[in-house]
Amino acid sequence: MRIRTQSLISVAIALGSLLVVAALLARVSASSERTMQAQYECRVVGRDATSLLVLAQRYSLQYQEQPAAQWHELHARLLKSIENSIAARTPSRPEWQELLELRQHAAQLAPLFSDLEKTAFDEDSPVTQRRRNLLLAKLASESEQLADLRYAWAAKIGDEMAQQQRALGAIVLGGPIVLLLVCCTLAWVIRRDFLIPLERLQAAATAISLGEPTQRINSIERNELGDASRAFDAMADALLRSRDELQREVLEHRSVQQQLATVLDHVPALVAHISTDQRFELVNRAYLAWHSLPMSDIVGRSVEEFHGKSNYLVLQPYLERALAGEAVAFEAVLIRGIQRHVMRVSYVPEFDAAGKVSGLFSMKTDITELRRSEERLRLVMDASPVGIFTRSPDGVMTYTNPAWQRITGRTEAQALKVTTAQLIHPEDQGRVRALWKIAMMKRQPVVSEHRYMRPDGSVIWVRGHISMLRRDGVIECGIGVIEDVTERRLVDQALAEKTTALARSNEDLERFAYVASHDLQEPLRMVNMFGQLMMQRKAAQLDAEALEFLGFMVDGGQRAQDLVRDMLSLARLDNQTKPPEPVMLESLLGDTLDQLRDRLKTAGAVVTHDTLPTVMGDRGQLGQLLTNLVGNAVKFCGDAAPKVHLSAVRERGSWRISVRDNGIGIEPKNFDRIFVIFQRLHLRSEHPGTGIGLSICKRVVERHGGRITVESTPGEGSTFSFTLPDTPSAQPMATTTPATA
């Protein structure tokens, strides 16, 4: 910056400081004026709030219209004053919240005073007097709230005035100080930018005149003094340039040597420089660490002397080729002590300016563990009982283990030449190619079962797992694992055929049972009907023995008819199914009780139930379920009158329905037996039946995806519980409603 420009800027800074101080004084004065206006408004609000309370007290003494009118006029003025104060301020003001609360409490005074006015027309009674007192107390409380808020407002105004006074004092006291600091700063700038550069320029000129151009001004100023300083620095630089160039060349040479040593020491390989007479001139840190030797034991020695005669014979041909100008790379087995190491070695010749070999660089990497890992992996793959193979991305087979060769019936040489068309069954080739492409796109293994063709013409089924080996996102090869699943496929096929035949047989058996049960109804009905007619019409003509035989015949026909009817019901469970629908169990229980009305009335049974839910199922089959369970509870009763209770509990998205009775009970050892078809625990003379009812119950519950269980104590009754699927709209009920039949 030029000296003239810098002088103008200094004057502008001084004038700007004066203007800033004046602007701050004006701002503080304006703020003080607004604060005084707010203080006046606060006094007006406090005075009006006090006057409202006084007018309310005067009105309560005589209930005249004049104090009431004055109260309303004063209240309206108070609200207007508060609204004006709010309109004159912004939400960022500190007293904004108090003003909002003042408006709220002031607005609440009007309804209270209106209620007080209404009491003036009420009959003077203790109740009216008490209400007036409560309203006056409420008015007084709200007025106190107004007073508290007004005091809070006044406190914040006072704080603001104190802050303004402090600000005014700071400006009055700090303004001259700021101006003084500006003047001092300008004086410091003049000394820094003018006086000190002149002194440095004079010292530099003296040093150049004495022949010692080592002192530098290094001025960064963009003015006349800066230009002169840089000219002197350029003169000194020109005098020292030749000496600096010489020193720079020496430093660069040393730096290159240090960088080379640093690079070599951080290379993980064993690096050495060998002269044309095959002696070590330089080795890196990894070389020393691998041999566990100091630098002095390696540098200067020949390759033959250091490695020994046997190792040198391995390295000599490659050393001679490298010294002849050829870069060579090879793998060699070197012996260190008693251990053999597989090394990957590279010899790179070094050429001088004339193009002759001046030495060579040697780089060795110990790959012993890598080769051991590869050997172990090869042993594992060769010993694996499953077939393993690798293929290049274009589909060429690169490796197969003995198990793969045994499964496919090919030798190792044949396996490496086999194509996809020769190996895979023609019908499966398209699918396998598609799976191979999917495996190349995905990172998860792809599983497939397909057919292989062996050289002898036989076809086998294999289960294959294919995945891709990737390195840095690039596919190197595909790895596959196969196992022979021909026997399993044959077993699965035979099992499927037997399952189909069994399903067909079961279907025929169910159809036969249904038809047989249905066709047996008519002859049994004829036997029962004509036997009963003979007992009614020919009883006088038959002797006692004939009547007894006839009774046995009728009873047997009736039991056979009951058995056929139950078998027909069991067969219909599978043949006459309906899609699941919402079933109201409470309504279904009502139909069941109507159906069993005569039996319940004869036995004197009482059936109660909790509120039952709506479930998903077949209404007809669920009706059979309830009929059998309630009927059994009434049939297998003790000496006391039967009592049956139905309850429902929600469990994990389903309903557990329980039917409890006070009957004769069941031995625990018979819990599983009672659900087996035709299994009875009592004589027909004691408890009639066919032994199919609980089998039907179990079949119905299982067809609905549930499970039926029983809990019982002999002599104390039984509880049959079964689960049914819930409906989305079903909700549990807590009430209990008894139903008596």
Side-chain angles (χ1 to χ4, degrees), residues 212-285:
E212 297 181 358
T214 57
Q215 187 173 352
R216 295 291 181 274
I217 302 174
N218 296 325
S219 176
I220 60 173
E221 298 295 333
R222 297 297 179 182
N223 53 23
E224 293 82 350
L225 292 176
D227 295 340
S229 299
R230 285 187 288 276
F232 275 100
D233 289 343
M235 293 172 61
D237 291 339
L239 294 174
L240 296 176
R241 187 172 295 115
S242 25
R243 186 179 65 183
D244 292 342
E245 289 178 356
L246 180 61
Q247 293 178 350
R248 189 180 304 108
E249 290 178 358
V250 174
L251 292 175
E252 286 179 355
H253 181 68
R254 293 178 181 176
S255 176
V256 169
Q257 290 182 337
Q258 292 177 354
Q259 291 175 359
L260 178 60
T262 302
V263 170
L264 292 178
D265 286 341
H266 287 82
V267 172
L270 282 64
V271 181
H273 186 269
I274 302 174
S275 64
T276 54
D277 58 353
Q278 299 186 9
R279 291 186 178 276
F280 289 100
E281 293 183 338
L282 175 68
V283 294
N284 68 341
R285 188 178 302 171

Side-chain angles (χ1 to χ4, degrees), residues 42-191:
C42 182
R43 291 197 190 102
V44 171
V45 170
R47 181 193 62 199
D48 292 345
T50 304
S51 301
L52 285 176
L53 182 60
V54 172
L55 288 173
Q57 294 292 342
R58 286 177 54 192
Y59 179 75
S60 64
L61 295 176
Q62 298 178 357
Y63 295 100
Q64 295 179 354
E65 295 182 358
Q66 183 179 2
Q70 293 177 351
W71 191 95
H72 285 293
E73 181 181 357
L74 186 59
H75 180 262
R77 187 172 64 192
L78 174 62
L79 285 177
K80 185 175 181 181
S81 299
I82 296 174
E83 290 292 344
N84 292 336
S85 299
I86 292 175
R89 286 159 178 80
T90 61
S92 60
R93 296 288 297 171
E95 69 272 14
W96 178 263
Q97 188 63 33
E98 282 75 10
L99 287 173
L100 295 179
E101 293 182 3
L102 273 171
R103 181 176 63 182
Q104 180 181 357
H105 284 282
Q108 291 176 358
L109 291 175
L112 293 175
F113 191 78
S114 299
D115 292 340
L116 182 63
E117 287 180 317
K118 293 177 182 178
T119 59
F121 302 99
D122 295 340
E123 183 181 355
D124 195 5
S125 64
V127 175
T128 304
Q129 188 62 34
R130 183 178 179 184
R131 185 180 179 193
R132 292 170 181 169
N133 293 336
L134 290 174
L135 290 172
L136 287 172
K138 185 65 176 178
L139 283 169
S141 175
E142 293 293 334
S143 299
E144 291 177 359
Q145 290 288 339
L146 285 175
D148 293 340
L149 291 172
R150 180 258 175 189
Y151 289 142
W153 183 17
K156 290 191 175 182
I157 293 174
D159 294 341
E160 189 175 3
M161 291 185 67
Q163 292 177 1
Q164 293 169 355
Q165 290 176 357
R166 288 194 295 270
L168 183 61
I171 293 172
V172 171
L173 295 176
I177 295 174
V178 170
L179 294 176
L180 180 61
L181 289 175
V182 170
C183 294
C184 293
T185 302
L186 292 176
W188 175 79
V189 170
I190 292 172
R191 183 178 182 278

Side-chain angles (χ1 to χ4, degrees), residues 558-569:
Q558 184 63 46
R559 285 191 287 107
Q561 190 174 9
D562 293 340
L563 182 62
V564 170
R565 183 179 62 251
D566 289 344
M567 289 180 61
L568 184 61
S569 298

